[in-house]
């Protein structure tokens, strides 16, 4: 058990390296199942969620080796299509193995992923889409048992542009017979990268990054390699860390086109930005202005930055609102921010923040990945000592966050918890 201890008040300055995108890697790894053989992923972040996906692929009989930041994945040794419940429960993205197992091996047994800290997260769109492709699905003992002779291409209209459902269907459709059209598809950069990886494997996909994606199924795919895109959520978190502390920070590598909604809001609240093709510099003088944001699917403001933005608005004198339209229950960080003195009122799926008041260090508990990031940001500006407990959550999605923050001048350290 470890915690982070932060002494607030330092303005962050300098340059911080951004790791590969967690949500991209978690889709790319299962995609390798579609083509038995040795795949290589470069720029893979060393994160707990990546270990979990490696464990899951290992449990299926694949061989995964992470050497530095290169992941070598041998899927030719796959032995079973049964995904262990314990691993899928631990991480919702494990559900990504369903589409590729079914498409490649005609069968899959994958447990329903549980709810998570911020409420139920169904997988009905994944299942409906696979059924439309011709899969027979049965629910037994919490498992989805799926079979299909060969999936058949079809037209699928998603009720919501779900990232996970789009990913699963793209993978499944790549080996289906005939043409699949996915309407209202997710346009997130991680889905675009998944599509690009599938293309490298020989898949025929058009329309990536738009709401209509077309897949012409092929008979077989071959192993491929790809460099993982920089993590836009990590980059956003460091830009917000710079903004909240009134600092001056460069994030690199970063793809500004993946971050437009966040950059636009940062400019609106008073940050100065200097954007180059592969990096973003941010400087901030004084307090941010209040703002009203609503999360939305890409290219809208990401739900994965909602908690951190709420922390930033604690510095903005006046009333701000932060609405999560994707996950209405994703506000576990609010009571913890209140322990630091934050004035936030929760009204349905909106956090109404009255900012500009001093925050005081305290002991807070993180409940999920992005909530932890919000608590760290608040700790960076709280007076005195803040302790963030349960930081295993942060290790799911941020590589060495305390070291990167130290590099920027923050007073933060990871210590073991004795009691
Ligand atoms: C992915 C990201 C997560 C991010 C989320 C939204 C990964 C590994 N995780 O999660 O970090 O917060 O996108 O950008 O990439 N929904 C349904 N039925 C479904 C699927 C989803 O109702 O079958 C709903 C969800 O409850 C939620 C919304 O759709 O309200 C978005 O979910 P989705 O886009 O699928 O998110 P994930 O892929 O789980």
């Amino acid at each position: 058990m470890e915690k982070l201890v932060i002494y607030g008040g330092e303005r962050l300055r300098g340059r911080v390296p951004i790791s590969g995108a967690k949500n991209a890697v978690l889709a790319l790894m299962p995609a390798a199942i579609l083509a038995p053989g040795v795949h290589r992923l470069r720029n893979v972040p060393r994160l707990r969620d990546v270990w979990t996906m490696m464990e899951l692929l290992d449990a299926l009989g694949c061989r995964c080796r992470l050497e530095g930041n290169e992941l070598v994945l041998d899927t030719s040794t796959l032995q079973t299509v049964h995904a262990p419940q314990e691993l899928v429960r631990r991480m919702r993205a494990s559900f990504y193995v369903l589409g590729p197992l079914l498409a490649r091996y005609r069968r899959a047994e994958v447990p329903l992923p549980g709810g998570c800290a911020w409420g139920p997260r169904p997988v009905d769109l994944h299942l409906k889409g696979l059924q439309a492709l011709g899969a027979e699905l049965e629910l037994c003992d919490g498992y989805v048992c799926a079979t299909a002779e060969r999936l058949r291409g079809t037209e699928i209209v998603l009720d919501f542009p779900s990232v996970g459902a789009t990913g699963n269907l793209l993978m499944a459709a790549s080996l289906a017979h005939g043409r699949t059209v996915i309407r209202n598809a997710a346009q997130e950069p991680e889905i675009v990268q998944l599509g690009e990886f599938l293309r490298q494997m020989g898949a025929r996909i058009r329309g990536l990054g738009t709401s209509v994606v077309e897949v012409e199924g092929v008979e077989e795919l071959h192993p491929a390699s790809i460099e993982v895109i920089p993590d836009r959520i990590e980059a956003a978190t460091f830009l917000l860390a710079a903004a909240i502390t009134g600092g001056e920070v460069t994030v690199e590598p970063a793809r500004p086109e993946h971050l437009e909604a966040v950059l636009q809001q940062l400019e609106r609240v008073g940050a100065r930005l200097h954007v180059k093709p592969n990096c973003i510099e941010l400087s901030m003088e004084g307090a941010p202005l209040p703002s009203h944001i609503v999360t939305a699917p890409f290219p809208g403001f990401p739900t994965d930055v909602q908690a951190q933005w709420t922390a930033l608005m604690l510095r903005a004198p006046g009333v701000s609102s932060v609405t999560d339209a994707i996950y209405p229950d994703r506000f576990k960080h609010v009571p913890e921010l209140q322990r630091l003195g934050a004035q936030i009122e929760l009204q349905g799926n909106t956090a109404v923040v009255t900012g500009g008041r001093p925050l005081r260090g305290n002991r807070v508990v993180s409940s999920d990945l992005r909530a932890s990031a919000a608590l760290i940001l608040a700790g960076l500006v709280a007076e005195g000592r803040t302790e963030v407990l349960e930081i295993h959550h942060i290790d799911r999605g941020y590589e060495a966050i305390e070291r990167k923050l130290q590099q920027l001048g923050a007073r933060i350290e990871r210590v073991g918890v004795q009691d």
Side-chain angles (χ1 to χ4, degrees):
M1 284 268 278
E2 292 174 321
K3 63 184 176 185
L4 290 173
V5 177
I6 308 166
Y7 291 92
E10 303 299 328
R11 298 173 73 169
L12 302 192
R13 276 173 204 288
R15 184 172 285 269
V16 63
I18 300 302
S19 301
K22 167 180 88 76
N23 287 349
V25 180
L26 294 179
L28 298 173
M29 292 171 70
I33 292 173
L34 289 164
V38 179
H39 302 252
R40 287 172 194 277
L41 308 182
R42 298 183 304 280
N43 195 33
V44 170
R46 301 180 68 87
L47 297 171
R48 259 186 4 118
D49 275 7
V50 173
W51 313 137
T52 304
M53 188 60 88
M54 286 171 71
E55 263 186 77
L56 174 56
L57 293 176
D58 278 344
L60 297 176
C62 306
R63 295 205 194 103
C64 309
R65 224 172 49 239
L66 185 57
E67 294 165 351
N69 293 102
E70 186 181 48
L71 180 61
V72 182
L73 270 177
D74 184 352
T75 52
S76 64
T77 51
L78 192 134
Q79 278 168 349
T80 172
V81 294
H82 180 90
Q85 191 146 44
E86 184 262 327
L87 291 170
V88 179
R89 267 226 194 102
R90 216 190 292 168
M91 185 179 70
R92 181 179 161 84
S94 311
F95 206 63
Y96 269 140
V97 297
L98 179 60
L101 281 176
L102 182 62
R104 178 65 185 78
Y105 295 94
R106 314 277 195 252
R107 268 182 331 114
E109 293 169 14
V110 182
L112 286 167
C116 68
W118 70 84
R121 296 168 72 186
V123 286
D124 54 315
L125 301 175
H126 301 235
L127 302 182
K128 271 200 256 175
L130 290 172
Q131 273 172 326
L133 287 169
E136 301 270 341
L137 302 181
E138 242 185 274
L139 286 182
C140 31
D141 291 338
Y143 270 79
V144 178
C145 300
T147 48
E149 259 323 299
R150 182 172 178 196
L151 297 172
R152 292 181 311 275
T154 187
E155 170 140 343
I156 299 168
V157 184
L158 292 176
D159 296 339
F160 183 89
S162 154
V163 173
T166 305
N168 241 329
L169 297 174
L170 259 182
M171 292 189 271
S174 294
L175 282 182
H177 178 72
R179 181 160 168 267
T180 301
V181 182
I182 307 173
R183 297 193 187 275
N184 201 20
Q187 301 173 45
E188 269 68 2
E190 295 77 17
I191 289 296
V192 174
Q193 174 145 68
L194 169 64
E196 279 165 1
F197 186 50
L198 293 170
R199 282 214 289 234
Q200 302 243 0
M201 289 161 69
R204 295 173 59 196
I205 302 176
R206 287 198 323 199
L208 287 171
T210 74
S211 64
V212 183
V213 180
E214 293 178 29
V215 186
E216 194 68 53
V218 295
E219 290 294 320
E220 59 175 15
L221 297 167
H222 51 79
S225 67
I226 198 164
E227 172 151 341
V228 178
I229 51 171
D231 194 309
R232 63 194 167 103
I233 308 300
E234 189 196 15
T237 302
F238 280 103
L239 291 173
L240 266 64
I244 200 171
T245 62
E248 206 174 320
V249 166
T250 303
V251 293
E252 183 176 15
R255 301 263 183 91
E257 68 275 21
H258 294 171
L259 278 159
E260 267 172 22
V262 176
L263 298 181
Q264 225 174 51
Q265 289 294 341
L266 278 166
E267 265 185 332
R268 272 200 199 133
V269 302
R272 286 231 305 269
L273 294 172
H274 193 191
V275 174
K276 296 183 190 160
N278 198 35
C279 77
I280 305 165
E281 297 170 20
L282 178 145
S283 62
M284 182 95 185
E285 299 258 336
L289 297 170
S291 66
H292 302 279
I293 65 137
V294 182
T295 65
F298 190 85
F301 193 96
T303 171
D304 287 349
V305 185
Q306 178 262 108
Q308 302 89 310
W309 190 268
T310 305
L312 176 64
M313 286 303 100
L314 296 174
R315 296 288 273 174
V319 178
S320 296
S321 66
V322 180
T323 301
D324 200 325
I326 310 280
Y327 292 114
D329 297 328
R330 195 178 193 178
F331 287 101
K332 292 282 187 283
H333 46 286
V334 167
E336 299 304 310
L337 289 171
Q338 286 166 337
R339 287 151 76 96
L340 297 173
Q343 199 171 339
I344 307 177
E345 197 192 321
L346 211 45
Q347 296 176 0
N349 64 341
T350 299
V352 179
V353 182
T354 306
R357 295 155 190 247
L359 300 177
R360 293 174 310 276
N362 201 347
R363 271 189 143 197
V364 289
V365 183
S366 64
S367 54
D368 64 67
L369 172 57
R370 307 305 170 188
S372 319
L375 297 177
I376 293 173
L377 294 191
L380 291 174
V381 290
E383 285 164 18
R385 176 183 167 109
T386 297
E387 290 185 8
V388 184
L389 307 180
E390 304 285 347
I391 56 163
H392 51 96
H393 292 292
I394 200 102
D395 296 329
R396 290 187 60 172
Y398 290 90
E399 199 176 17
I401 192 167
E402 73 281 8
R403 282 211 299 276
K404 292 188 184 184
L405 285 168
Q406 282 161 3
Q407 214 173 306
L408 297 173
R411 290 178 65 201
I412 179 169
E413 59 175 346
R414 182 183 289 255
V415 296
V417 177
Q418 309 304 329
D419 48 326

